[in-house]
């Protein structure tokens, strides 16, 4: 199988300009990793032309990738960890899942999200009280905090009344992913390694069994309660909605088995946990570096909240722009939006007018490096490396010259099903945080974005948080 990395020519390195002068681990995308379409002989066609590039001549057209082994290893890990994503026909499943993720349904989950967020803020208040004698600032690793709150939110919104069991499942799953990841890094090259009864493999099998049995029990109990008329609905959480839609007229004839539903619940956690935590961590870093935006978002939150509460219906435009700009600069999944056989799907505007279209023969896999595409000067209006949320003032389509220039949530029929969920959660977390705290980066912060499945800060995301009342009294 051949791989093409479809990228645009301007490889803007991490870090962004706003962090110049800070210690940095250097660019994460190296030119040698990437097959550059512009510099090759691939056909770049004008607007109405359409052609297929020749299968047999490909060898001469596709340059050898210097770091093929490194990239392949990452791909293997990705495929290994996410194999359950591809077990069934995903298009069919989306028929059942889409209604569960409808935005009106998600808004009703805002209250559950706020419960988890409030627990996090109460914990911060408590820790501040403990250190208050020395200082009014508290240093927190935001990556860890957001990872925890995002896991809590997923457990609560997925499993509602079965929150505790759900949380235990997710904790097991996290341990499992870590064990698999560590082994995959070391032993991916040994054939059938994962079938050998090593200590770690036996731990993985035990965790797999426990996750399966707990989820199966939750699902079967809910189904039984409705069948025996002990409950009038399956529940108002994501699991309940999936059970309700499953097999009903809304599902257009698709029926998921218990095993399918178990897989879906596990996928939500896998796909929605670290991604949302990473988005939140980068967003707070960018707001800490750009205090004017932090103040602007804070003022909006205070204005919105008034005497009432921020909820899922609050229109937080500034925060939305900040989040979109964060997703542009630091997309949690900056690479590997992977498709086999694409036909002109990624036609991008060229010099503002011309369109490039490619017909890719079957069997060729395309990986789109959206992290690179998001910083392409040809697609985005100037200051591509700068934090400039204003560009999203009129929505995503106006911010970018190309329809497909913004790909943080993927594209097409398999675009991220949880994007509204993630944006809602991120907005509620940041709004609640800005209502009570202001934050800045400590001098110890090292800017080192690194890919661990998602784009994460290699050395964590330390942030100094100060309660609002003390910043006001300083003024
Ligand atoms: C900032 C947060 C998130 C980001 C950046 C993100 C990004 C992505 C991306 C890039 C894809 C691949 C899309 C494609 O191949 O075109 C994806 C797929 C997916 N995401 Fe997310 N995601 C996020 C949050 C979530 C959440 C919170 C959930 C669930 C609650 C979720 C569930 C899924 C699922 C189920 C898929 C597979 C969809 C399919 O194949 O049909 N994601 N996500």
């Amino acid at each position: 199988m051949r791989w093409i990395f479809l990228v645009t020519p301007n490889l803007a390195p991490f870090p962004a300009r706003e962090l110049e002068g800070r210690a940095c681990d250097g660019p994460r995308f190296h030119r040698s990793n990437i097959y550059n379409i512009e510099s090759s002989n691939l056909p770049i066609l004008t607007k109405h032309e359409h052609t297929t590039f020749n299968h047999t001549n490909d060898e001469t057209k596709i340059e050898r990738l210097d770091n093929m082994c490194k990239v392949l290893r990452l791909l293997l890990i990705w495929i290994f960890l996410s194999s359950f994503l591809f077990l069934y026909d995903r298009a069919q499943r989306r028929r059942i899942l889409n209604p569960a993720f409808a935005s009106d349904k998600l808004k009703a989950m805002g209250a559950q999200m706020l419960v988890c967020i409030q627990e996090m803020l109460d914990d911060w208040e408590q820790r501040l009280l403990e250190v208050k004698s020395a200082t009014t600032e508290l240093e927190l690793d935001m990556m860890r905090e957001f990872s925890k709150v995002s896991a809590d939110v997923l457990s609560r919104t997925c499993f509602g009344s079965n929150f505790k069991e759900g949380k235990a499942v997710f904790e097991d799953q996290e341990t499992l992913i870590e064990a698999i990841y560590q082994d995959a890094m070391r032993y991916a090259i040994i054939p059938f390694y994962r079938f050998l009864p090593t200590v770690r493999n036996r731990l993985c099998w035990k965790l797999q069994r426990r996750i399966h049995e707990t989820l199966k029990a939750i699902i079967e109990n809910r189904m039984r309660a409705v069948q025996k008329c002990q409950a009038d609905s399956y529940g108002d959480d994501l699991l309940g909605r999936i059970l309700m839609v499953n097999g009903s007229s809304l599902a257009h004839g698709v029926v998921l088995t218990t095993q399918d539903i178990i897989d879906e619940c596990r996928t939500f956690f896998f796909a929605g946990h670290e991604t949302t935590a990473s988005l939140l961590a980068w967003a707070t870093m960018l707001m800490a570096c750009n205090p004017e935006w932090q103040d602007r978002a804070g003022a909006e939150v205070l204005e919105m909240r008034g005497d009432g509460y921020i909820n899922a219906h609050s229109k937080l435009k500034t925060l939305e722009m900040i989040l979109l700009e964060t997703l542009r600069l630091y997309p949690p999944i900056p690479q590997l939006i992977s498709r086999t056989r694409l036909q002109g799907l990624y036609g991008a505007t060229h010099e503002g007018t011309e369109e490039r279209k490619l017909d890719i023969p079957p069997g060729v896999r395309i990986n789109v490096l959206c992290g690179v595409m998001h910083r392409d000067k040809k697609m985005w209006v100037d200051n591509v490396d700068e934090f400039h949320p204003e560009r999203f003032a009129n929505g995503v389509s106006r911010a970018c010259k190309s329809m497909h220039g913004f790909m943080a949530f993927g594209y097409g029929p398999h675009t991220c099903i949880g994007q509204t969920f993630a944006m809602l959660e991120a907005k509620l977390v940041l709004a609640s945080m800005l209502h009570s705290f202001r934050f800045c980066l400590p001098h110890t912060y090292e800017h080192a974005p690194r890919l661990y499945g998602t784009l994460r800060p290699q050395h964590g995301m330390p942030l100094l948080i100060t309660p609002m009342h003390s910043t006001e009294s300083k003024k």
Side-chain angles (χ1 to χ4, degrees):
M1 181 188 287
R2 273 149 305 153
W3 299 80
I4 294 180
F5 290 79
L6 183 62
V7 294
T8 44
N10 302 301
L11 304 181
F14 293 115
R17 198 178 290 164
E18 70 275 4
L19 285 150
E20 258 173 25
R22 285 182 184 273
C24 163
D25 242 26
R28 287 290 149 205
F29 292 115
H30 298 287
R31 195 170 269 274
S32 55
N33 276 353
I34 293 159
Y35 168 66
N36 190 333
I37 263 179
E38 285 248 311
S39 64
S40 77
N41 296 323
L42 274 179
I44 292 176
L45 307 176
T46 49
K47 204 158 192 167
H48 301 293
E49 283 178 291
H50 216 227
T51 191
T52 305
F53 72 84
N54 194 337
H55 221 299
T56 50
N57 290 340
D58 284 352
E59 261 41 293
T60 55
K61 290 174 180 167
I62 298 175
E63 290 172 359
R64 280 198 68 193
L65 303 177
D66 301 347
N67 277 340
M68 194 64 170
C69 291
K70 203 165 144 194
V71 175
L72 271 178
R73 205 175 60 206
L74 278 171
L75 293 176
L76 273 173
I77 294 163
W78 178 263
I79 291 163
F80 191 51
L81 290 176
S82 57
S83 56
F84 54 88
L85 266 174
F86 304 99
L87 285 176
Y88 295 90
D89 181 356
R90 295 187 302 167
Q92 291 270 308
R93 287 182 174 210
R94 292 286 291 240
R95 292 186 178 186
I96 293 191
L97 301 180
N98 283 342
F101 279 90
S103 75
D104 55 325
K105 300 270 179 347
L106 290 182
K107 282 190 175 163
M109 285 180 189
Q112 289 162 320
M113 292 181 180
L114 283 166
V115 171
C116 306
I117 296 165
Q118 196 52 51
E119 274 172 19
M120 175 182 77
L121 298 181
D122 289 347
D123 179 47
W124 293 359
E125 297 273 5
Q126 189 56 41
R127 282 149 78 179
L128 259 165
L129 278 179
E130 282 161 21
V131 294
K132 206 155 191 171
S133 53
T135 168
T136 49
E137 284 175 344
L138 177 68
E139 186 171 323
L140 292 169
D141 179 358
M142 299 317 270
M143 196 59 217
R144 193 176 303 157
E145 298 297 316
F146 291 144
S147 195
K148 190 169 166 296
V149 77
S150 148
D152 283 356
V153 164
L154 276 168
S155 315
R156 210 173 268 276
T157 47
C158 249
F159 297 110
S161 55
N162 299 102
F163 165 63
K164 283 204 178 116
E165 295 112 291
K167 204 168 166 199
V169 166
F170 285 160
E171 277 164 10
D172 278 352
Q173 175 137 324
E174 210 165 17
T175 321
L176 179 68
I177 290 173
E178 201 160 316
I180 294 175
Y181 189 81
Q182 278 173 9
D183 262 15
M185 290 295 272
R186 282 183 220 150
Y187 307 114
I189 47 164
I190 303 176
F192 306 110
Y193 176 79
R194 67 194 177 110
F195 300 109
L196 301 178
T198 61
V199 175
R200 211 186 294 272
N201 279 347
R202 274 185 284 137
L203 170 73
C204 291
W205 298 337
K206 188 176 148 199
L207 289 169
Q208 292 270 25
R209 257 196 318 275
R210 198 157 69 195
I211 293 171
H212 180 88
E213 277 157 20
T214 317
L215 286 177
K216 192 168 170 228
I218 297 177
I219 294 167
E220 287 180 352
N221 283 345
R222 289 210 192 179
M223 287 165 71
R224 216 172 297 130
V226 171
Q227 277 156 13
K228 291 186 179 170
C229 301
Q230 288 161 345
D232 51 1
S233 81
Y234 291 108
D236 205 27
D237 45 31
L238 277 179
L239 174 63
R241 288 194 185 132
I242 294 172
L243 289 174
M244 193 183 74
V245 178
N246 195 18
S248 75
S249 57
L250 281 172
H252 307 282
V254 181
V255 182
L256 296 185
T257 62
T258 305
Q259 181 59 50
D260 294 343
I261 299 172
I262 291 174
D263 289 342
E264 288 309 330
C265 293
R266 296 180 63 182
T267 304
F268 295 155
F269 188 75
F270 181 72
H273 177 214
E274 287 297 325
T275 43
T276 314
S278 145
L279 164 64
L280 281 164
W282 294 120
T284 45
M285 182 277 283
L286 287 166
M287 279 200 273
C289 293
N290 297 275
E292 67 286 4
W293 278 99
Q294 191 180 149
D295 290 343
R296 194 168 150 181
E300 184 188 68
V301 168
L302 291 179
E303 192 184 317
M304 277 284 153
R305 186 154 174 172
D307 293 330
Y309 290 95
I310 288 288
N311 60 32
H313 300 276
S314 310
K315 283 202 168 49
L316 298 159
K317 176 116 199 282
T318 310
L319 270 181
E320 170 126 6
M321 293 192 304
I322 291 174
L323 286 168
L324 290 172
E325 182 69 342
T326 309
L327 285 167
R328 184 184 72 81
L329 288 167
Y330 298 95
I333 305 181
Q335 40 123 260
L336 294 183
I337 292 173
S338 183
R339 297 284 189 275
T340 309
R341 201 180 201 291
L342 278 180
Q343 291 205 333
L345 193 60
Y346 293 101
T349 51
H350 183 56
E351 301 295 341
T353 48
E354 261 185 317
E355 257 189 34
R356 299 182 297 170
K357 282 205 168 167
L358 296 170
D359 249 357
I360 312 289
V364 173
R365 182 172 281 267
I366 301 274
N367 286 315
V368 180
L369 304 183
C370 79
V372 178
M373 211 162 75
H374 284 182
R375 290 176 186 234
D376 181 3
K377 289 192 178 108
K378 284 188 182 151
M379 286 203 190
W380 298 87
V381 189
D382 45 41
N383 309 330
V384 280
D385 289 336
E386 278 168 27
F387 179 69
H388 182 51
E390 202 67 59
R391 74 177 85 237
F392 287 103
N394 297 315
V396 178
S397 52
R398 297 281 169 85
C400 180
K401 288 185 205 159
S402 162
M403 235 174 94
H404 314 305
F406 184 78
M407 284 238 210
F409 291 111
Y411 176 76
H414 292 299
T415 181
C416 175
I417 199 170
Q419 53 186 290
T420 319
F421 182 103
M423 287 298 277
L424 175 63
E425 178 186 342
K427 268 198 259 177
L428 291 180
V429 169
L430 293 180
S432 310
M433 204 175 145
L434 283 166
H435 185 258
S436 312
F437 299 98
R438 287 292 175 269
F439 40 87
C440 62
L441 281 175
H443 294 295
T444 49
Y445 173 68
E446 279 183 63
H447 189 65
R450 180 120 199 214
L451 259 181
Y452 296 97
T454 52
L455 188 73
R456 294 170 64 173
Q458 185 180 357
H459 309 298
M461 181 63 71
L463 218 60
L464 288 173
I465 61 157
T466 318
M468 271 293 279
H469 51 80
S470 69
T471 51
E472 273 159 17
S473 60
K474 272 185 206 162
K475 282 179 194 167

